[in-house]
Every structure is written in structure tokens, then in C-alpha cells.
Amino acid sequence: MRRQLAAALVAAVLAAPGFAQQHFAQQHVAQQSLAQQQEPFEPEGYRADNYRAPVPATLERARVLSTSEAEAIWRAKSGAFVDVLPRPPKPKNLPAGTVWRDAPRKNIPGSIWLPDTGYGTLPPAMDDYFQRGLARASRGDKAALLVIYCLADCWMSWNAAKRALAYGYSNVAWYPDGTDGWERAKLPTDEAQPEPRPEQ
């Protein structure tokens, strides 16, 4: 008898208006909260390790571009594109006769390539190199639109865009899908050469 009474009470509660909807809504909120906890968030400073990992969906004070938005800027020639993909420099003191071949890089046509400028910290010479490169890309105009990219899931581009903001550039756009997204959209790329770095 007690079991029947308990079952009847549970059935009555479940049948009460709005119970199912309320329960579903609570589950949905809990799932959203869990998903948000798992998503990458913007660190206060620069990311200093594990640079190939999921990136945040945002960068404070910067525009975040989709591939179609980046393409529109590129076609209109309304912004300067800055590639920050790292590139290992030629090792010093290679044995005589050693052949050194840089890994090829194809980037968005018209870009300026400033490798190794997206690390969490930059030595003074590299910091100066990045500042001079951005000044060249923007033609000295800190209000010019800069589109900064690398590859998909690349914190180098996030760091570099954040650093450009710290240098006082006011119109920074971050293109998080980089050349991976560009090539997926079957957009053209060009063989690229980096701007000479201080040690070269």
C-alpha cells in the first residue's frame, strides 16, 4: 500500500504543470555552464605555453573575424594582413656543406610575415622587430585596420593581436581560423618569405 501511495505521489508531481519544462530548463542551464567552463577563456596576460590548442572565441577590444569577413577585407584591400606563424631560424654554426631548407609557407596574398612575434614573452630585439613590422604594415597609422592571423587553434595570433592593442593600435582584427580556414574556403595563397629577423 505504501509503495502504491509513493508511486502515486511521484506521478502527481511529474504531472504537475510545468514540472517537466522546469526540470529540462535546469538541465540545459547546467549543461551550458559546464560547456562554458570547458571553453578556453581569455587569460589576463599572454598565453605562454601550449600554443597549438583551442583558442577563446573573443579578444577584448579586437574584432574577431570569420573567413568570409576576412575575405571581404582582403578583397576590398581595406586592411593590412599580418601573418605571425613561427619559423625556426637557421641554426648558427652549421657544419660546412650542410644544406638548410626552410619549411615553405603559403599565406594570404599581400600579407607581411612577422614570425615568432606571438610568444608569451618577446626579447627586446623581437619586440622592436614586431613594432617596426606593424608600423610598416600600417604605414605608421595606428588607426589602420590590422588583420592578424596564423593557423587555426594558434595562440600565437591571439597573443600577437593582443600585443598590437598594447602598442596602441586601435583597429585590430583577429582572424582565428588563419590559413587553415582560408584554404578550406578554397581562397588563394602565395608562397611567403618572412621579414628578416634581428638575428639574421
Side-chain angles (χ1 to χ4, degrees), residues 2-14:
R2 284 182 182 172
R3 281 185 187 170
Q4 289 174 333
L5 185 58
L9 282 170
V10 169
V13 168
L14 290 174

Side-chain angles (χ1 to χ4, degrees), residues 3 5 22 26 31 44 55-56 59 62-63 65 80 82 85 89 108 114 150 156 159 161-162 164 166 168 174:
R3 281 185 187 170
L5 185 58
Q22 184 180 6
Q26 288 171 343
Q31 287 170 348
E44 285 185 25
V55 293
L59 173 54
R63 277 173 66 193
L65 301 177
V82 180
L85 180 77
I108 297 169
L114 302 172
C150 176
M156 292 276 181
N159 279 349
K162 185 179 180 77
W174 171 48

Side-chain angles (χ1 to χ4, degrees), residues 7 9 18-19 29 38-39 42-43 67 78-79 81 83 88 98 101 104 129 132 143 148 157 166-167 169 171 191:
L9 282 170
F19 177 85
V29 167
Q38 292 172 340
E39 285 177 11
E42 289 194 43
T67 296
S78 57
F81 282 71
D83 182 3
T98 303
R101 288 192 179 89
Y129 166 77
R132 285 186 290 107
I148 297 177
S157 59
Y167 292 157
Y169 288 90
N171 196 4
E191 192 80 32

Side-chain angles (χ1 to χ4, degrees), residues 1-70:
M1 181 70 182
R2 284 182 182 172
R3 281 185 187 170
Q4 289 174 333
L5 185 58
L9 282 170
V10 169
V13 168
L14 290 174
F19 177 85
Q21 290 89 341
Q22 184 180 6
H23 180 68
F24 177 80
Q26 288 171 343
Q27 275 188 324
H28 182 66
V29 167
Q31 287 170 348
Q32 277 187 323
S33 176
L34 181 62
Q36 285 170 351
Q37 288 170 13
Q38 292 172 340
E39 285 177 11
F41 59 91
E42 289 194 43
E44 285 185 25
Y46 300 105
R47 173 78 167 234
D49 59 13
N50 194 19
Y51 295 106
R52 286 308 303 277
V55 293
T58 58
L59 173 54
E60 188 178 354
R61 297 190 298 120
R63 277 173 66 193
V64 180
L65 301 177
S66 66
T67 296
S68 60
E69 290 168 328

Side-chain angles (χ1 to χ4, degrees), residues 17-195:
F19 177 85
Q21 290 89 341
Q22 184 180 6
H23 180 68
F24 177 80
Q26 288 171 343
Q27 275 188 324
H28 182 66
V29 167
Q31 287 170 348
Q32 277 187 323
S33 176
L34 181 62
Q36 285 170 351
Q37 288 170 13
Q38 292 172 340
E39 285 177 11
F41 59 91
E42 289 194 43
E44 285 185 25
Y46 300 105
R47 173 78 167 234
D49 59 13
N50 194 19
Y51 295 106
R52 286 308 303 277
V55 293
T58 58
L59 173 54
E60 188 178 354
R61 297 190 298 120
R63 277 173 66 193
V64 180
L65 301 177
S66 66
T67 296
S68 60
E69 290 168 328
E71 180 189 2
I73 292 167
W74 177 73
R75 290 198 184 281
K77 296 180 170 45
S78 57
F81 282 71
V82 180
D83 182 3
V84 297
L85 180 77
R87 184 182 206 181
K90 180 178 178 179
K92 294 177 180 176
N93 304 320
L94 280 176
T98 303
V99 176
W100 172 258
R101 288 192 179 89
D102 287 310
R105 168 66 168 161
K106 289 191 169 183
N107 65 15
I108 297 169
S111 297
I112 182 172
W113 184 11
L114 302 172
D116 303 315
T117 53
Y119 286 104
T121 57
L122 295 182
M126 285 302 293
D127 188 69
D128 180 64
Y129 166 77
F130 190 40
Q131 291 200 51
R132 285 186 290 107
L134 292 181
R136 196 161 43 257
S138 66
R139 297 191 171 112
D141 179 6
K142 289 208 168 179
L145 174 58
L146 296 174
V147 178
I148 297 177
Y149 70 94
C150 176
L151 304 171
D153 292 330
C154 175
W155 280 86
M156 292 276 181
S157 59
W158 190 92
N159 279 349
K162 185 179 180 77
R163 189 166 276 127
L165 290 163
Y167 292 157
Y169 288 90
S170 59
N171 196 4
V172 174
W174 171 48
Y175 175 35
D177 287 338
T179 47
D180 291 330
W182 194 263
E183 289 175 342
R184 272 196 305 272
K186 300 192 177 350
L187 293 166
T189 56
D190 270 350
E191 192 80 32
Q193 288 301 320
E195 293 292 305

